[in-house]
Amino acid sequence: MAYFITGGTGFLGRFFIDKLKQRDGDIYVLTRKGSEHKFEDLQARMGDQAERLIPVTGDLCAPLLGLDADTVAEIKGRIQHFCHFAAIYDLKASAEAQIATNIDGTRNAVQLAEALGAGCFQHVSSIAAGGLYEGTWREDMFEEAENMEHPYFATKHDSEAVVRNECSIPWRVYRPGMVVGHSKTGEIDKIDGAYYFFKSLQKIRNVLPPWFPLIGIEGGKFNVVPVDYVVDAMDHIAHQGDLDGRAFHLTDPEHHSMGNMMNIFADAGHAPRFSMRLDARMFGFIPRFVRETLANLPPIKRVINTLLADMGLPDSVMMFTNYPTRYDNRDTERALKGSGIKCPDLRDYAPVIWDYWERNLDPDLFVDHSLEGNVGGKIVLITGASSGIGRHSALRLAEAGAHVLLVARSADKLEETAAEIAALGGVASIYQADVSNLEDCDRLAAEVLARHGHVDILINNAGRSIRRSLELSYDRFHDFERTMQVNYFGAVRLTMALLPSMSERQQGHVINMSSIAALTPSPRFSAYVASKSALDAWTRAAAVEFSDRNVRFTTINMPLVRTPMIEATTVYNSMPVLTPDEATDMVVEAVIKKPKRIATNMGIFLQVQNALAPRISEVVMNIVFRMFNDSAAARGDKKPEQVQVSNEQVALAALMKGVHF
């Protein structure tokens, strides 16, 4: 007895061949030209039984699977079980590809099985062969399939029709449910089905505690089965007598709603549960044509696609929100009676499935999170690059392979930074400019574009900070003008000059250096905060307008950093603040991850506190305000100042590290 396997190097096929280790006979494996390495992997899995595997070079889309007459004559009469696993299981594949593989490929396989005189054609179909049948789909049902508009459902149904109507040798059909990894090891080699929800659950877990209650969708019924159950059941049924001409549902007797399934995997991944689940059928009173019309409106489609993309879900997941079918598997249970084979409870093996995904298949594992991979060969313009955060960021990015354009007023300091970059083996270009001068911003942008053609990443880092209470500012309106000129007008002017080239290339990233002071009431920094808040608001508006142009905007609400900007306030010398290297880490995170905003936990806490309890936030910051005094420089006293810092002040600064006092 010998076996002929199509799709033997695929997911189900590999596990089925593993199962055949317990049986005798040669195993002929259809191998596509160029995929010999996959066959070698199969041999490695077989261990000391590797010699049982025999490669047969062929093509699923060719007549007789591409086998020549000599090969057919050599194998003819030896095959007892012709097992057809090869198919497209990807809902995102084109209709043409699915027709060629699922329908024409099955027809070619049937013709080869007949030419070889195989004992039985074992066809692996899918529960999708029933379409989106409303009700209970039994194993003896086929023609009753309905709602097969999607090519995946249509081709699965039509390929099974080929077996039923055209196969002249005995046949059996197997319809697995939504197949996931091995229930003992979690092993799987692709992400689809239930796995599409894992990334969303992981993202929720990263920002919310497990006890936090969520609101979700109840959704339709899902039937999830582990691959080991599928191949165990198929192996047993394939070798039983008197079962030809029948279909078998390799499904779980228990169906799980989308909401319940997500809760099971949420428990497995230690993510919050969906305590309240809304039944999508509650919107059933809206006529179907109205729902479809609204869903197909371009703005609605774009919003839906954006939300799905952010959650890591394919468009096809929408069809499962109201999946209407339950699957009866009584014939399968009768065939397996006495074998000890049964589908395990999803709750028991879900932790194994999640763990394998997170360790081996999480998409983030395959994303280049290195700084080198994100800036290598790119042009990065940094304003305020002669000292502080700008200088440290320039050194870090240049060392990672970026061509850094250094911008500042002081040519001497820029030369020093460029020399340090050269010593590190990096590349830097110097541009002397004053971003508070709008004409200088225009000149700078024009020179940069003429020389380099474009800027990949713009970091608006140059800034001016003024720490002075309002009582000392009644006659100093120019404080507000100066901060706005550098922090807002200069940054916007330079960005506006570079945006056309980014938009044209549909590629670019603008990082605007804001402040933690913009997240909460910040006494003594009214001029500074006003300018940074203006830049924050402008950034949010710009991000919306360029969202579809692949131009990203990131705001960094930077805490207090020990740079020359704070040297005038001597009280900061005795207080814990961020180092330039720690601040640079935030810049690096912005470059790599391109988030909308980066802020410290303290900054986020203060923002939430101010939103939920603005009066309390005001009182707390007033107490902080009264604990500290204006500096000598703020009072207009140019004499050196010796400040005695109290233990209470140091303790408060340590508790609220990075906050402006």
Side-chain angles (χ1 to χ4, degrees):
M1 177 173 63
Y3 302 85
F4 193 102
I5 312 287
T6 70
T9 58
F11 175 50
L12 280 174
R14 288 201 314 273
F15 279 95
F16 186 75
I17 290 175
D18 286 345
K19 189 66 180 176
L20 294 182
K21 290 179 182 179
Q22 303 172 14
R23 299 187 182 276
D24 299 325
D26 292 333
I27 305 171
Y28 294 87
V29 181
L30 184 71
T31 306
R32 189 174 63 250
K33 189 174 182 180
S35 298
E36 291 80 3
H37 63 284
K38 294 183 178 181
F39 179 80
E40 293 171 359
D41 292 340
L42 271 182
Q43 289 181 309
R45 290 173 69 101
M46 287 292 284
D48 58 2
Q49 297 189 45
E51 71 280 354
R52 292 178 56 196
L53 295 178
I54 303 172
V56 180
T57 302
D59 182 354
L60 192 66
C61 297
L64 297 178
L65 302 185
L67 273 64
D68 57 34
D70 292 340
T71 303
V72 171
E74 179 184 348
I75 303 175
K76 186 174 182 179
R78 304 183 60 184
I79 305 300
Q80 177 59 35
H81 298 283
F82 192 108
C83 304
H84 182 48
F85 289 92
I88 288 180
Y89 298 94
D90 187 357
L91 290 171
K92 296 177 290 186
S94 67
E96 294 76 13
Q98 295 191 60
I99 290 172
T101 301
N102 294 349
I103 301 176
D104 297 339
T106 298
R107 180 172 287 109
N108 295 331
V110 167
Q111 292 172 353
L112 177 61
E114 292 172 337
L116 296 177
C120 185
F121 188 85
Q122 313 279 359
H123 177 63
V124 181
S125 182
S126 166
I127 55 174
L132 295 175
Y133 182 81
E134 297 188 10
T136 300
W137 178 258
R138 302 190 311 272
E139 291 158 297
D140 61 349
M141 296 172 66
F142 179 72
E143 298 294 344
E144 297 86 347
E146 58 187 15
N147 299 321
M148 296 183 291
E149 289 80 8
H150 195 283
Y152 180 73
F153 293 98
T155 57
K156 282 298 182 183
H157 179 84
D158 292 346
S159 63
E160 187 174 321
V162 169
V163 177
R164 290 173 173 273
N165 301 327
E166 301 178 23
C167 188
S168 61
I169 62 175
W171 54 265
R172 300 178 188 186
V173 170
Y174 306 90
R175 299 171 180 163
M178 187 178 293
V179 183
V180 295
H182 197 287
S183 65
K184 297 295 191 296
T185 66
E187 182 185 350
I188 193 172
D189 60 1
K190 61 176 182 175
I191 295 177
D192 63 7
Y195 291 89
Y196 286 135
F197 299 101
F198 286 15
K199 196 63 191 177
S200 298
L201 293 173
Q202 186 190 61
K203 288 181 177 179
I204 295 172
R205 182 192 67 186
N206 291 340
V207 296
L208 295 174
W211 52 262
F212 195 92
L214 299 175
I215 299 176
I217 298 176
E218 185 66 24
K221 298 297 183 181
F222 283 68
N223 198 283
V224 180
V225 289
V227 64
D228 47 310
Y229 165 71
V230 172
V231 297
D232 286 351
M234 180 177 171
D235 171 69
H236 181 80
I237 295 173
H239 292 89
Q240 299 300 304
D242 301 324
L243 296 177
D244 294 338
R246 297 166 62 180
F248 299 91
H249 285 169
L250 308 184
T251 55
D252 187 342
E254 183 178 3
H255 294 65
H256 300 278
S257 68
M258 177 189 292
N260 185 48
M261 181 186 70
M262 290 187 70
N263 276 344
I264 291 174
F265 285 113
D267 291 340
H270 307 290
R273 291 172 58 89
F274 294 88
S275 301
M276 178 181 290
R277 305 196 295 269
L278 304 177
D279 195 328
R281 290 175 296 182
M282 65 188 296
F283 301 105
F285 69 91
I286 302 175
R288 182 175 179 179
F289 79 91
V290 174
R291 298 198 304 268
E292 292 179 350
T293 300
L294 290 174
N296 287 319
L297 290 174
I300 301 298
K301 290 180 68 174
R302 187 175 171 208
V303 169
I304 292 174
N305 291 338
T306 300
L307 290 174
L308 291 175
D310 287 344
M311 293 187 293
L313 300 173
D315 299 345
S316 56
V317 77
M318 295 298 293
M319 75 173 69
F320 295 107
T321 55
N322 275 322
Y323 200 87
T325 316
R326 298 182 66 90
Y327 298 96
D328 178 271
N329 68 343
R330 281 176 285 187
D331 286 351
T332 299
E333 289 183 340
R334 279 193 289 268
L336 296 176
K337 187 175 182 180
S339 67
I341 299 171
K342 66 176 183 178
C343 185
D345 191 320
L346 177 60
R347 301 170 188 84
D348 293 335
Y349 66 89
V352 178
I353 300 298
W354 176 279
D355 184 69
Y356 187 90
W357 170 82
E358 196 159 40
R359 292 175 184 272
N360 300 277
L361 296 175
D362 181 357
D364 281 351
L365 297 174
F366 307 98
V367 175
D368 190 348
H369 293 288
S370 68
L371 184 58
E372 292 79 1
N374 284 273
V375 301
K378 292 187 176 181
I379 298 173
V380 182
L381 190 154
I382 305 176
T383 63
S386 60
S387 65
I389 300 171
R391 172 179 165 275
H392 282 75
S393 298
L395 292 172
R396 187 87 65 88
L397 296 176
E399 189 176 16
H403 181 176
V404 180
L405 311 185
L406 306 173
V407 178
R409 291 177 297 175
S410 173
D412 293 341
K413 291 183 178 179
L414 286 177
E415 292 285 359
E416 293 175 5
T417 303
E420 290 184 72
I421 289 175
L424 294 172
V427 179
S429 298
I430 293 175
Y431 290 90
Q432 186 178 7
D434 181 359
V435 295
S436 67
N437 185 316
L438 302 187
E439 288 72 22
D440 224 13
C441 290
D442 294 340
R443 176 191 60 80
L444 169 63
E447 289 182 5
V448 166
L449 293 176
R451 183 174 175 184
H452 304 284
H454 68 276
V455 170
D456 293 296
I457 303 172
L458 167 63
I459 302 178
N460 285 312
N461 170 72
R464 177 191 290 270
S465 176
I466 296 178
R467 181 182 183 269
R468 181 178 286 116
S469 62
L470 287 173
E471 285 184 315
L472 298 178
S473 304
Y474 294 150
D475 59 349
R476 296 185 60 89
F477 189 75
H478 57 274
D479 284 353
F480 299 87
E481 293 176 319
R482 289 172 178 173
T483 54
M484 288 294 290
Q485 195 67 22
V486 177
N487 300 344
Y488 179 61
F489 290 121
V492 171
R493 186 67 165 245
L494 180 58
T495 305
M496 292 285 283
L498 296 176
L499 272 176
S501 64
M502 291 184 176
S503 178
E504 182 180 356
R505 297 175 65 239
Q506 295 200 2
Q507 181 179 342
H509 187 195
V510 178
I511 300 174
N512 287 328
M513 204 68 67
S514 183
S515 169
I516 191 175
L519 300 177
T520 186
S522 301
R524 288 194 178 87
F525 287 90
S526 56
Y528 178 65
V529 171
S531 63
K532 290 299 186 183
S533 297
L535 184 60
D536 286 5
W538 182 88
T539 302
R540 290 193 296 271
V544 170
E545 295 190 27
F546 289 89
S547 177
D548 59 343
R549 303 287 180 85
N550 196 35
V551 178
R552 300 289 176 252
F553 290 80
T554 298
T555 295
I556 302 180
N557 292 109
M558 188 66 70
L560 204 59
V561 182
R562 197 169 300 287
T563 66
M565 186 180 289
I566 69 170
E567 288 178 350
T569 306
T570 55
V571 70
Y572 288 151
N573 295 336
S574 304
M575 295 185 177
V577 296
L578 265 66
T579 66
D581 281 334
E582 290 175 316
T584 300
D585 290 339
M586 298 177 71
V587 175
V588 168
E589 181 183 353
V591 169
I592 294 174
K593 297 183 179 179
K594 301 177 180 63
K596 299 291 295 180
R597 180 181 300 276
I598 292 180
T600 62
N601 291 335
M602 175 57 67
I604 296 171
F605 170 77
L606 293 174
Q607 184 182 35
V608 172
Q609 174 187 273
N610 187 53
L612 298 179
R615 177 59 180 165
I616 293 176
S617 180
E618 178 183 309
V619 171
V620 169
M621 294 309 294
N622 177 261
I623 294 172
V624 173
F625 171 66
R626 296 303 177 187
M627 286 182 65
F628 296 86
N629 297 317
D630 284 278
S631 66
R635 297 193 302 269
D637 188 352
K638 297 182 179 181
K639 295 180 181 180
E641 181 183 33
Q642 296 295 328
V643 178
Q644 295 295 325
V645 181
S646 68
N647 292 334
E648 291 79 5
Q649 289 175 323
V650 174
L652 180 64
L655 178 65
M656 303 177 68
K657 183 178 180 181
V659 176
H660 293 63
F661 297 127

